[in-house]
Amino acid sequence: MPEQNGCSINAIRSDESEDTDCLIEKNTVLHRCCPIRLQLATLMFFGFAVVYALRVNFSVAMVAMVNTSDSKRVLNHSVVRACPLPSGKDNTSDTFVQPEGIPQYLWDPETQGWLLGGFFFGYLCTQIPGGYLSGHYGGRLFLGLGVLCTAVLTLLTPLAAQLGPTWLFVLRALEGFGEGVTFPAMMALWTRWAPPLERSRLMTFSGSGANFGAFVALPLTGYICQTLGWPSVFYICGGVGCIWAVFWFVLVSNDPRTHRWISHGEREYIINSIGPQGTGHGWSVPLLHMLLSVPLWAIIITQMCLNWSYYTLLTSLPTYMDNILHFDLKSNSFLSGLPYLGAWLFSVLSGVVADFLIERGVFSVTTVRKLLTFAGVLPSAAFLVAVGYVGCDHILTVTFLTLGSTIGGASASGVFINQIDIAPQFAGFLLGITNTFGTIPGVVAPIVTGYFTEDHTLAGWRKVFWVAALINVVGAVIFTIFGSGNVQPWALMEEKREEVEANGTTPVPT
């Protein structure tokens, strides 16, 4: 619950005059049109938009990179279709026509699968190390280098493709290796920059850049492929990432204490409201306590469950649209991006609602996190199941997917930022742990989908949607029962130790 003065929910109380000063500083900052922390959130927003555009554009550009016309001719007489082809459509008309001189490659489906999955091999490796180092040194360097390295490597994609699929797989894995540090670094930065009563809206806004980037990249990549050729996709997106990095390193610092242009009022407000939690952790972290923490395991399991449906849609939805519904993703790429647009808008809105409920004392932090997680999961699971029962109706399919993803964006202010609630100083490290586990469904879910859809029937896909929805609900139930929004004792011990050392008194044994 927030303190009576509304200034901090986690900072250690001192005397009454300091509380009054903190309230005055808060009121001063709230009247500024563009505080530095909002500039930081905006830069993060565009940074995550870039990295997710770099992630999504490859899956779309793959259609243009691969010459599949021969294989489609062979399959014309052997495929049993669950839904009839739209009138006037033939099987050879759905490839991207490339400008003269643009190479295409004869990669079989297995090779394409390895190339699409190569990113996650690297992505899994750097989540935990990135979170640990960001928590100790600060997230500015790691987030900036993560985006910059991914952008530079993206510029090399056409060359790697020309050298062969092995080189391209290694390049994609290296991109994942670089991008793996970005989200933990974001959490580590907000540990030092986000006042407790503004955490939800600052973090959801900055992280929502991922959905915005996916929404923009889907139609833009298809358009660039058709007009300029698929190599231009990687040159343009990689170049934008490099430009973003220049602004990032010039304008961002790890801590409000060291920022060159921050006002005195904003700096004091942030420092006073966050308290000792707004500092980096030492080299040692309470691993045993983390291992035995029930709220942490609730976050891990819930994020794995919620990511199951996310990765199912991310990796398998294009197949469903193309092979089952024969949906023209090139002409209607805007429609395929609508679920990401809805999730972006709703996640930002949920952040504002969460902070409002906490600041006004309507609900505790714990209740808000659980409420928004459940409110996001249940309707989205219901819409996901409904997709399996609309048959071959394109309009209802897009509508249900968009509504499900939109409402699901509410969970962005729930379980997905809960790490900073239970252990602010270790939030970056914890996010690295939860994101590592949360990436596992990205590997397992497509395998399960392939098992259910071997016969390419609507009944098989209905099982896919049911499994994803049920796993989502199980995750929400687990978080509702075992989740917490309170700072955990093992995190409080570190905080108290730093307070004692700062006061120059004898440390009390813990």
Side-chain angles (χ1 to χ4, degrees), residues 130-407:
Y132 176 73
L133 294 174
S134 296
H136 183 76
Y137 290 110
R140 170 182 175 268
L141 178 65
F142 295 95
L143 200 157
L145 286 180
V147 178
L148 179 61
C149 290
T150 305
V152 171
L153 290 169
T154 297
L155 294 172
L156 301 176
T157 301
L159 175 61
Q162 186 176 359
L163 293 174
T166 301
W167 286 92
L168 186 54
F169 174 85
V170 172
L171 182 74
R172 290 291 297 169
L174 289 175
E175 289 181 27
F177 190 88
E179 190 174 324
V181 305
T182 53
F183 275 102
M186 177 198 76
M187 186 69 80
L189 274 169
W190 284 130
T191 295
R192 307 181 186 208
W193 275 95
L197 295 179
E198 300 178 19
R199 283 175 179 168
S200 299
R201 57 182 178 269
L202 287 173
M203 294 176 65
T204 53
F205 174 69
S206 55
S208 70
N211 284 321
F212 180 78
F215 164 70
V216 172
L218 280 168
L220 189 60
T221 299
Y223 176 77
I224 295 174
C225 283
Q226 289 180 306
T227 56
L228 302 176
W230 64 261
S232 298
V233 170
F234 303 105
Y235 295 142
I236 293 173
C237 293
V240 170
C242 293
I243 294 172
W244 174 90
V246 174
F247 286 94
W248 176 263
F249 286 114
V250 170
L251 299 176
V252 173
S253 68
N254 280 319
D255 194 285
R257 297 174 179 84
T258 59
H259 197 282
R260 286 176 287 181
W261 300 296
I262 192 171
S263 68
H264 174 77
E266 183 179 5
R267 179 171 59 247
E268 292 304 307
Y269 163 56
I270 294 173
I271 294 172
N272 291 337
S273 61
I274 296 177
Q277 297 171 350
T279 58
H281 59 70
W283 286 111
S284 62
V285 294
L287 289 175
L288 181 60
H289 293 289
M290 292 178 179
L291 182 64
L292 300 176
S293 175
V294 173
L296 177 57
W297 278 107
I299 297 173
I300 291 172
I301 295 172
T302 304
Q303 287 196 6
M304 290 180 67
C305 292
L306 269 58
N307 281 350
W308 183 283
S309 62
Y310 176 80
Y311 284 116
T312 295
L313 295 180
L314 187 67
T315 59
S316 302
L317 184 59
T319 302
Y320 178 75
M321 293 288 201
D322 183 32
N323 293 348
I324 302 299
L325 299 180
H326 314 295
F327 196 82
D328 188 351
L329 288 177
K330 296 195 304 295
S331 301
N332 300 283
S333 55
F334 174 77
L335 295 179
S336 66
L338 277 179
Y340 296 102
L341 175 64
W344 165 52
L345 295 174
F346 221 69
S347 63
V348 174
L349 177 62
S350 73
V352 176
V353 171
D355 281 341
F356 175 83
L357 294 175
I358 294 171
E359 186 172 4
R360 296 298 178 92
V362 178
F363 297 117
S364 66
V365 176
T366 300
T367 302
V368 169
R369 300 295 181 234
K370 292 181 178 181
L371 181 64
L372 288 174
T373 299
F374 222 86
V377 169
L378 284 187
S380 63
F383 281 118
L384 192 60
V385 171
V387 171
Y389 290 91
V390 298
C392 302
D393 192 313
H394 293 184
I395 296 177
L396 284 179
T397 297
V398 173
T399 300
F400 287 157
L401 286 172
T402 301
L403 289 174
S405 297
T406 298
I407 298 174

Side-chain angles (χ1 to χ4, degrees), residues 21-140:
D21 291 341
C22 190
L23 181 60
I24 293 173
E25 294 294 352
K26 176 184 177 181
N27 291 333
T28 301
V29 174
L30 288 177
H31 286 88
R32 296 184 183 277
C33 62
C34 190
I36 295 297
R37 59 190 183 279
L38 180 58
Q39 296 177 29
L40 175 62
T42 303
L43 278 171
M44 283 188 186
F45 173 87
F46 285 110
F48 285 113
V50 168
V51 293
Y52 259 70
L54 297 177
R55 187 187 300 194
V56 170
N57 66 11
F58 185 79
S59 60
V60 179
M62 176 73 77
V63 180
M65 297 170 73
V66 177
N67 186 346
T68 58
S69 56
D70 292 337
S71 60
K72 285 183 179 288
R73 267 187 224 109
V74 173
L75 292 172
N76 275 347
H77 304 288
S78 59
V79 173
V80 177
R81 300 184 180 90
C83 294
L85 282 172
S87 59
K89 177 177 178 178
D90 59 57
N91 285 338
T92 60
S93 64
D94 57 345
T95 57
F96 280 113
V97 178
Q98 291 296 282
E100 187 71 24
I102 300 298
Q104 289 186 298
Y105 305 99
L106 296 174
W107 294 332
D108 57 35
E110 182 180 358
T111 300
Q112 295 177 50
W114 278 99
L115 293 176
L116 290 170
F119 174 90
F120 292 102
F121 285 87
Y123 194 66
L124 281 168
C125 294
T126 52
Q127 296 276 342
I128 295 177
Y132 176 73
L133 294 174
S134 296
H136 183 76
Y137 290 110
R140 170 182 175 268

Side-chain angles (χ1 to χ4, degrees), residues 458-510:
L458 284 171
W461 279 98
R462 195 172 295 132
K463 294 177 183 178
V464 171
F465 296 132
W466 263 109
V467 168
L470 289 175
I471 291 176
N472 266 17
V473 173
V474 168
V477 171
I478 290 175
F479 186 70
T480 301
I481 297 173
F482 299 107
S484 174
N486 300 320
V487 180
Q488 297 302 292
W490 44 269
L492 277 174
M493 287 190 296
E494 181 73 14
E495 178 184 329
K496 290 179 179 178
R497 187 180 301 114
E498 293 194 0
E499 181 190 10
V500 168
E501 293 175 356
N503 293 332
T505 57
T506 304
V508 178
T510 56

